[in-house]
Amino acid sequence: MTGVKELAYVVYEVSDLADWEHFGVTLLGMQLGDKLDNGFTLRTDGKCHRWVITEGAADDLVRSGYEVESIASLEALVARLRDAGVEVTEGDRELAAARRVDRIFVCADPMGNQIELVTGHADAETPFHSDALLGAFVTGRGGAGHQVLLSKGVSRETYLAFYQDLLGFKISDIIVEELAPGIVADLIFLHCNPRHHTVAFGDMPHPKRTHHFMVEVTDIRDVGTAWDRCLAHGQPFEMTLGMHPNDNMFSFYVKTPSGFAVEYGWGGLLIDDDTWEVKTLDRLNNWGHHPMAAEVSWLQAAIAQESI
């Protein structure tokens, strides 16, 4: 079945553009792309952009851009969505030009997350360069990275019918862990290319649409130097260094200026669909990824709220 091939870019609406430029370029090591009327773009490779940062009050994810292999594949995917009763509209030339794509269609997933289905995501006119990185960001066939979104009470069967049956994602694995009495993290991880997961969905208390976006680097030293930069600049962390049991990612989590997190990692596992077996795991981390003090307080407050 023809489906999406990668997460091409994400669009965030943020309340403080200056803080976000500092966060993305100085702390994470991204390259500033284009200045926009209402924001700017960030690059992590040879593409024109991977993140689009726009000014607004949401402080959250507002669009996810998924690329399809060709115009014919895109039209087939759009037809499949419409046959299933999903409302899909074609973006105009202005939107396509802003996203630097050949063609674009817009729809929403069952949680209400806005999705842009595109083809022809443009390369930048200059090579990628970062003053901060020793290596590079891992993109290529794996796309921009991965994101974890909140299911917001929508059943797993409902959103899998959209992402798996219509968009063509495949299940990588599932993790179910009781974080504290009455608080259970229940996540399912989906892939559309060799990257272990491009999108995951969690049934857990969280105020945003997105829990985090993951960027991966080729040099393990860049995880350490990014940690040091965030620490030196007082950027709040969500979780300490650690490693996941499913994708083997060695990483830490740092809060963005908008309150959701970025996972900064190295060493992610690649999937071979011919040999991969879907498993259900009982823990989120092999070691580390301990919540920082503020996160412990937030979790305690969430537990207290559940008991009321």
Side-chain angles (χ1 to χ4, degrees), residues 8-69:
Y9 57 83
V10 284
V11 183
Y12 296 120
E13 186 179 290
V14 310
S15 58
D16 194 321
L17 291 174
D19 275 359
W20 261 91
E21 184 174 336
H22 168 76
F23 177 75
V25 177
T26 303
L27 301 188
L28 300 188
M30 297 180 176
Q31 180 181 352
L32 184 64
D34 297 325
K35 287 286 189 177
L36 310 174
D37 290 341
N38 65 335
F40 57 88
T41 65
L42 292 169
R43 294 177 56 193
T44 59
D45 62 3
K47 290 295 181 182
C48 56
H49 55 249
R50 290 299 191 176
W51 290 13
V52 180
I53 309 298
T54 62
E55 189 172 23
D59 274 317
D60 207 344
L61 175 73
V62 292
R63 294 281 178 102
S64 299
Y66 292 101
E67 187 163 14
V68 179
E69 190 67 44

Side-chain angles (χ1 to χ4, degrees), residues 107-160:
C107 64
D109 74 6
M111 283 72 71
N113 297 304
Q114 293 294 302
I115 289 174
E116 297 179 353
L117 300 170
V118 305
T119 188
H121 187 211
D123 293 331
E125 295 177 356
T126 59
F128 172 76
H129 173 75
S130 171
D131 292 329
L133 295 187
L134 298 168
F137 289 105
V138 177
T139 56
R141 290 182 62 200
H146 77 235
Q147 57 182 347
V148 174
L149 308 179
L150 284 302
S151 58
K152 300 294 185 182
V154 176
S155 71
R156 180 166 291 172
E157 292 76 15
T158 299
Y159 64 72
L160 282 183

Side-chain angles (χ1 to χ4, degrees), residues 43-102:
R43 294 177 56 193
T44 59
D45 62 3
K47 290 295 181 182
C48 56
H49 55 249
R50 290 299 191 176
W51 290 13
V52 180
I53 309 298
T54 62
E55 189 172 23
D59 274 317
D60 207 344
L61 175 73
V62 292
R63 294 281 178 102
S64 299
Y66 292 101
E67 187 163 14
V68 179
E69 190 67 44
S70 65
I71 290 177
S73 298
L74 179 59
E75 290 176 342
L77 176 56
V78 168
R80 185 162 65 247
L81 287 163
R82 287 172 172 165
D83 287 345
V86 177
E87 182 178 350
V88 186
T89 59
E90 183 163 9
D92 58 21
R93 291 181 179 178
E94 183 178 1
L95 180 59
R99 298 291 192 256
R100 303 281 303 276
V101 298
D102 292 339

Side-chain angles (χ1 to χ4, degrees), residues 23 45 62 74 102 109 122 124 140 154 157 169 177 186 194 198 223 249-250 261-262 266 270 280 291:
F23 177 75
D45 62 3
V62 292
L74 179 59
D102 292 339
D109 74 6
V154 176
E157 292 76 15
F169 281 84
E177 179 182 4
D186 185 355
T198 286
V223 177
M249 189 72 71
F250 167 66
V262 166
W266 170 87
L270 300 178
T280 298

